[in-house]
Amino acid sequence: TVSKSMREPSSPRNALVASIEAGLRRTLGLGRVVESDKAASRFRRALRRCFSSDGRIRWDKLFAADGADTGRTGGSGLPVKVELASGTGDWVVAQANADAGAANWVACELKHDRV
């Protein structure tokens, strides 16, 4: 049978997953980690679960250690804190370490090519 992702290749979720995968291959060496087609397929499936069909982040799936659905907070039931313009990440790493067990953190640097 044809997988759902193959039937709707232009869905927002699949476009987002393809873009993230391409970026990770280009900038962080993802291709070396998922060398086989089977590993790449598992990676895409896991990443696809982290987004709703309309491309929204599913925090509960992103932070769930075992893929369990634990509601609208992070997979562990913890709040999600977001740091925008995180630069090299030093500050957000310190905050995440200080909040260990109390919150999940996401860091986003939009100008990563300049950091």
Side-chain angles (χ1 to χ4, degrees):
T1 61
V2 177
S3 71
K4 183 177 181 179
S5 64
M6 296 305 290
R7 290 193 305 257
E8 51 182 270
S10 62
S11 74
R13 173 177 36 204
N14 290 334
L16 185 57
V17 167
S19 177
I20 291 171
E21 180 182 4
L24 292 174
R25 284 182 182 276
R26 186 177 61 255
T27 61
L28 294 176
L30 178 66
R32 289 186 218 129
V33 177
V34 292
E35 292 176 345
S36 72
D37 289 341
K38 185 175 181 179
S41 180
R42 279 196 314 262
F43 170 78
R44 278 186 223 103
R45 229 180 359 264
L47 188 57
R48 197 175 297 116
R49 278 193 293 268
C50 294
F51 296 96
S52 67
S53 60
D54 61 354
R56 295 180 189 192
I57 297 172
R58 297 178 67 195
W59 298 111
D60 58 321
K61 299 294 185 188
L62 184 65
F63 287 108
D66 60 2
D69 187 353
T70 58
R72 292 180 170 250
T73 58
S76 58
L78 300 175
V80 176
K81 296 182 178 183
V82 179
E83 164 69 5
L84 298 177
S86 57
T88 60
D90 294 336
W91 182 85
V92 73
V93 167
Q95 296 306 305
N97 284 333
D99 275 352
N104 290 311
W105 276 84
V106 174
C108 182
E109 177 52 58
L110 300 177
K111 297 181 179 181
H112 60 85
D113 59 330
R114 295 181 357 188
V115 175

